[in-house]
Amino acid sequence: MVEVPSFDMPFAARLSPHVDRVRRHTKKWVRDMGMLGGVPWTEAFYDAADYGGFGPLTHPTASLEDLKHINDWHTWGFYVTDAFQAFLRSRDVAGGKAFVAGLKSVLSGSAPMNPAEKGLADLVSRSTLDSFDSEHLAEFLDALLWELHNTAQGRVPDPIDLVEMRRRSIATELSAKLARGSVGAELPEELLRNSTMRALVDSFGDVPALRQEIVGFDRTYATGGSTTSAVLAVQQFFGCETQQAVSVVADLIAARLRQIGAIIGELPSLATEYGLDAEAKAGLHRYAEALKSWLAGELLWTRRSGRFTHSPAPTRTSFHRPTGLGTAALSVSSR
């Protein structure tokens, strides 16, 4: 088993005052969608993973209704990723392709057939998706197939390729958009396409993607569930021991966090360069704060979730009395 680093976090985590109501809503939603049928989620595993507590930590200032919607999207993503593990473990390429094709057909208006498709259909019916959203959803699904093809071939991908695809497999673009929307940050498209803003979003996505490569290593990769692992990629590329590879990935996560801090420091100058008015500047500031809250909340959720444990009866720790590194500044948001 690998030793998981402490993962220092320069940003403060906060917990939404709506956490209990969101947990109740999310569990009802996954039950209504048929997601608690035992594969991949039993009710005990769902409760231990605390998917209902993810959004309240990553979007602490969102309104109750927005938070319910945001958490449904994240929970659906977790469900799809967990369900896809069955195809990875069995190297079932045909089954994985059919699973992804079914989800893509829902985006085209087809009737849903299984819980993953029902969840997506419900979310699409309650969301306003543009062409970029649909493209990013397709990229998320294609990234699952990319991992399956690598695993079926016993191939450990190149580290650079893996980092780029992991941004897609955790739906970085959609997560950033949800964070932006949760704080009402209306920003010009030309600004969002700026290379500095693109680097901010890429670094934002790399942090949780790479961290889950470490915390999920024993549960997934060490048991043969996949060959698509940043730890394995670094180990193979540098010819080092597994724990050394973990340290390299952890160092990369720390570097990404430093880069995020540096980019955020450049945003006032970027706002001036693009001639943003006072309202847009305030929105840009809220967006940066939302990304910081998201990253701190995701780390706290990951530490306390039972999703990554080997235990047959995983447990989670309450978020109401947090302890440990990075939690001293945790507060309950009142907005």
Side-chain angles (χ1 to χ4, degrees), residues 87-106:
F87 305 111
L88 287 168
R89 292 188 181 282
S90 61
R91 278 51 172 175
D92 183 2
V93 175
K97 286 182 176 180
F99 180 80
V100 166
L103 289 168
K104 287 185 175 181
S105 71
V106 170

Side-chain angles (χ1 to χ4, degrees), residues 151-329:
T151 300
Q153 296 168 13
R155 176 178 177 269
V156 177
D158 176 90
I160 295 177
D161 290 342
L162 189 144
V163 169
E164 291 179 353
M165 290 303 293
R166 273 289 176 250
R167 292 170 186 161
R168 298 181 182 185
S169 69
I170 69 161
T172 296
E173 295 288 345
L174 294 171
S175 293
K177 184 174 182 178
L178 286 172
R180 197 162 62 246
S182 73
V183 294
E186 298 290 339
L187 300 173
E189 284 297 324
E190 59 268 28
L191 172 65
L192 295 174
R193 291 194 295 268
N194 174 275
S195 59
T196 299
M197 296 297 290
R198 297 299 319 137
L200 176 61
V201 171
D202 286 347
S203 296
F204 160 75
D206 288 347
V207 172
L210 293 172
R211 179 159 47 239
Q212 291 190 26
E213 297 281 89
I214 294 175
V215 299
F217 185 82
D218 289 328
R219 174 176 177 260
T220 303
Y221 306 111
T223 59
S226 175
T227 60
T228 309
S229 159
V231 174
L232 294 180
V234 168
Q235 183 178 10
Q236 177 173 284
F237 188 80
F238 290 106
C240 60
E241 298 296 327
T242 302
Q243 195 61 47
Q244 290 176 300
V246 168
S247 296
V248 171
V249 176
D251 288 344
L252 181 57
I253 295 169
R256 288 292 192 266
L257 285 169
R258 290 193 296 271
Q259 184 175 13
I260 289 169
I263 292 173
I264 289 175
E266 298 174 13
L267 294 185
S269 297
L270 192 64
T272 300
E273 177 185 340
Y274 276 79
L276 300 188
D277 59 22
E279 182 178 353
K281 287 180 179 178
L284 181 58
H285 175 74
R286 291 195 303 274
Y287 177 37
E289 292 300 309
L291 294 181
K292 289 160 63 175
S293 290
W294 197 104
L295 291 168
E298 187 273 340
L299 173 57
L300 185 55
W301 178 83
T302 297
R303 284 174 172 159
R304 296 176 175 279
S305 170
R307 185 186 189 213
F308 305 101
T309 182
H310 268 307
S311 170
T315 60
R316 66 173 171 86
T317 305
S318 170
F319 290 140
H320 295 290
R321 291 185 176 84
T323 59
L325 288 172
T327 63

